[in-house]
Amino acid sequence: MRAPIGDFDNAVPAPECLDQLTEPVAAAVRAWQGAVPADQLLYVDTDPEIADTDVFVEHYGPRLLDQSANCVIVAGKRGEETTLAACVVRSATRVDVNGVVRKHLGSRKARFAPMETATGGSGMEYGGITPIGLPADWPVLVDATVVDTEWVLIGSGRRRGKLIVPGKAFAQLPGAVVLEGLGVS
C-alpha cells in the first residue's frame, strides 16, 4: 500500500511485519490497544545509512520535516535520583531540555541521556529510537504539535525502517504526557 505521507510505495501495517522491528517495539505493537487500531501503525523500509533526520529529509523530501518527529531520551537528576524520559518533538524543532523537560520531571538538572543508556535501556538502536515500546516506567513527553499532526514519521526501533503513525496515537502511549512548548525552534 502507498504510505499516507512521503514517497513510500510499500507501507505495511506494523502487525504484519513484526520481524522487522526490535523486540520491544514488536511487543508493543502486539499488545497495542486504544482508539487508533494497530493496523494504522505503518512500517516503511528505509536505508539505515540515511536514518538521521537531516540526511533523511534531504533524500526523501523537505515536506517530511513537518511530518516527522524525533524521539530522544533525556535524563533528569535530582539529588542521587535519575529519571529517564522520552521526548517526542517535530523534527523541525529541538527539545526544551532545560525548560519544559526539567520542570516537568521536577529535576534540578536535565540532559540528553548517554547513547549507551538510551540504547541499553530501550532495547533499540541509536538513530531509530521510537516511543512505541519503551520501558513502562519512562515517561513519554510528547509535544502537542506532534499529536495534532495527521500522520507522523518516526523511528521504528532500528536505523533501518520508519513507522508512520497517526499523531493522535502518541497521546495514547503508556506514560504519555502531552505538553505545549516541548519542541522549540
Side-chain angles (χ1 to χ4, degrees):
M1 97 173 55
R2 183 125 178 92
I5 60 172
D7 221 7
F8 307 102
D9 291 327
N10 194 18
V12 180
E16 295 177 18
C17 60
L18 297 173
D19 60 326
Q20 298 298 313
L21 307 172
T22 60
E23 182 47 40
V25 179
V29 170
R30 278 192 293 274
W32 189 265
Q33 297 179 10
V36 174
D39 64 359
Q40 285 189 18
L41 310 178
L42 305 175
Y43 175 83
V44 292
D45 189 42
T46 59
D47 182 347
E49 295 300 315
I50 59 171
D52 295 325
T53 301
D54 55 344
V55 180
F56 191 87
V57 168
E58 183 179 308
H59 181 81
Y60 286 103
R63 286 186 331 229
L64 281 181
L65 195 57
D66 290 328
Q67 298 171 316
S68 61
N70 290 324
C71 179
V72 297
I73 308 303
V74 298
K77 190 165 183 159
R78 183 170 197 79
E80 296 301 312
E81 185 177 329
T82 299
T83 301
L84 294 175
C87 296
V88 182
V89 298
R90 289 176 60 178
S91 296
T93 65
R94 61 181 175 78
V95 177
D96 184 5
V97 176
N98 290 308
V100 174
V101 173
R102 185 183 58 76
K103 288 175 188 163
H104 181 79
L105 295 178
S107 302
R108 302 218 359 98
K109 288 180 162 180
R111 62 182 172 86
F112 293 105
M115 181 175 64
E116 301 78 27
T117 301
T119 58
S122 68
M124 299 179 201
E125 294 177 7
Y126 183 75
I129 293 177
T130 184
I132 299 169
L134 289 173
D137 60 339
W138 290 12
V140 177
L141 311 181
V142 183
D143 188 84
T145 62
V146 172
V147 175
D148 293 339
T149 303
E150 185 177 9
W151 290 96
V152 178
L153 180 91
I154 195 152
S156 67
R158 297 174 56 211
R159 286 186 65 83
R160 163 164 240 116
K162 300 284 186 186
L163 294 174
I164 298 175
V165 179
K168 62 186 175 186
F170 292 97
Q172 76 182 48
L173 291 171
V177 178
V178 178
L179 298 171
E180 296 286 338
L182 179 63
V184 293
S185 299

